[in-house]
Amino acid sequence: AKHKGKSSYAHFVPEMTEVSHDRLQMESRMRRALDQNEFELYFQPIVQTDTGALSSAEALIRWNSPSMGMVMPDRFIPLAEETGLIIPIGEWVLQEACHKAMKWREITGTNVGVSVNVSPRQFRDPNFSDIVLKALESSGLEAEYLELEITERLILDNTIETAEILKHLDQAGIRLSVDDFGTGYSALSYLKSYPFDTLKIDKSFVQDVLKEQDDASLVRAIINMAHSLGLRVIAEGVEEEAQTHFLQHEGCDYSQGYFYSRPVPEEAFEKWLRTNHR
Ligand code: C2E
Ligand code: CA
Ligand code: CA
Ligand code: CA
């Protein structure tokens, strides 16, 4: 309510205090969480659309907080971004993800790639490239099996630095994908000038592909455009078998979603690997 005068002021202050108290508490819990090993990576398979064969897995962070239970990334990544804690957390994610990919290679006898989400604050940290290279080096994973997922929003935000960092990562052989494709302001020209390998079609388009003619047209157009630019396409949020038929028919390279598997903890992913791989 938009009251004026003293009464609303008196009402407003305690609310603000409460909000900032919550944030401070969350922040200090998050700081502790790294030391206490409370973060965990879940993994979701990314498969070839035509055969269903495993290609790689996306690492998705979870926070097992003793006081709050399992906390999903949407609830803490934004605050981690604001406070800068995303930089050490992101480094942990990179290290962990690269080491796990090496472990999957042992289990399957073939190469399984890993995709890692990168936040804007992390990406703009001057040490970002070094942190990525260090994770590859300490795990022994070759650059081509690491894919960094960068949102369209980040790419469109600041150009010169972004271009340089992307170029550097690309030259190191790391794969780069555009996450949530189609949800940004979509000035498509960046696709031409930046060294991306992959477009991930946002799940909001994929989910209604059988219900909405417009979404079907958009997905079809994105696949064709990506292919003519030499990019691979991943459809995310695939939940139903009928969607896989559509995506196969349209030549979408890779798929990811609950239809194949939800994101699962490490042990469950390894089990999935053992049973689905051969
Ligand atoms: P995202 O990168 O777009 O990740 C995909 C999200 O969609 C994941 O949510 C995943 O669980 C969910 N998903 C996968 N398949 C399906 C499906 O078939 N249907 C539906 N409805 N959803 C599906 P999650 O794990 O809650 O992650 C949310 C977001 O948090 C991610 O969105 C990503 O932006 C961010 N995030 C996750 N892990 C990290 C991380 O390690 N670092 C950073 N910076 N961000 C992360
Ligand atoms: Ca992602
Ligand atoms: Ca590249
Ligand atoms: Ca996404």
Side-chain angles (χ1 to χ4, degrees), residues 45 54 103-110 112 265-278:
L54 180 77
K103 197 172 172 200
W104 304 336
R105 179 181 293 184
E106 271 171 46
I107 293 173
T108 62
T110 57
V112 180
E266 183 196 352
E267 309 76 51
F269 182 69
E270 286 176 8
K271 200 169 154 199
W272 194 91
L273 277 182
R274 289 198 177 89
T275 49
N276 286 262
H277 184 64
R278 276 156 242 257

Side-chain angles (χ1 to χ4, degrees), residues 73-241:
D74 290 338
R75 268 189 66 205
F76 67 92
I77 294 288
L79 186 59
E81 270 270 304
E82 274 175 53
T83 55
L85 277 170
I86 192 65
I87 293 170
I89 294 172
E91 179 166 8
W92 177 83
V93 171
L94 280 160
Q95 284 285 349
E96 186 82 359
C98 291
H99 281 88
K100 294 302 180 236
M102 288 301 279
K103 197 172 172 200
W104 304 336
R105 179 181 293 184
E106 271 171 46
I107 293 173
T108 62
T110 57
N111 295 308
V112 180
V114 70
S115 297
V116 171
N117 293 287
V118 178
S119 296
R121 177 82 175 256
Q122 212 185 336
F123 185 82
R124 290 188 191 123
D125 171 31
N127 296 320
F128 180 64
S129 303
D130 290 343
I131 288 170
V132 174
L133 296 176
K134 214 168 72 190
L136 289 173
E137 207 180 322
S138 81
S139 62
L141 188 72
E142 297 85 353
E144 66 189 290
Y145 300 112
L146 174 64
E147 181 142 337
L148 299 179
E149 300 196 358
I150 294 156
T151 59
E152 205 170 28
R153 240 164 285 257
L154 183 156
I155 300 156
L156 298 170
D157 269 359
N158 81 341
T159 45
I160 300 169
E161 275 175 60
T162 305
E164 272 168 21
I165 302 165
L166 290 172
K167 194 173 146 200
H168 188 218
L169 294 166
D170 177 58
Q171 283 171 347
I174 294 152
R175 294 194 195 256
L176 300 168
S177 68
V178 182
D179 205 353
D180 305 338
F181 184 79
T183 61
Y185 334 99
S186 277
L188 291 172
S189 55
Y190 73 84
L191 288 177
K192 202 175 61 171
S193 40
Y194 292 165
F196 284 104
D197 303 287
T198 309
L199 289 192
K200 294 192 78 168
I201 305 177
D202 191 69
K203 55 179 176 284
S204 58
F205 301 110
V206 177
Q207 258 149 16
D208 290 330
V209 94
L210 301 169
K211 282 173 278 181
E212 302 286 339
Q213 194 49 50
D214 288 351
D215 287 318
S217 304
L218 277 172
V219 168
R220 189 179 296 125
I222 293 170
I223 294 169
N224 291 333
M225 176 198 64
H227 284 166
S228 54
L229 290 168
L231 297 163
R232 314 174 314 153
V233 185
I234 301 176
E236 57 175 31
V238 178
E239 295 183 356
E240 298 160 29
E241 186 162 23

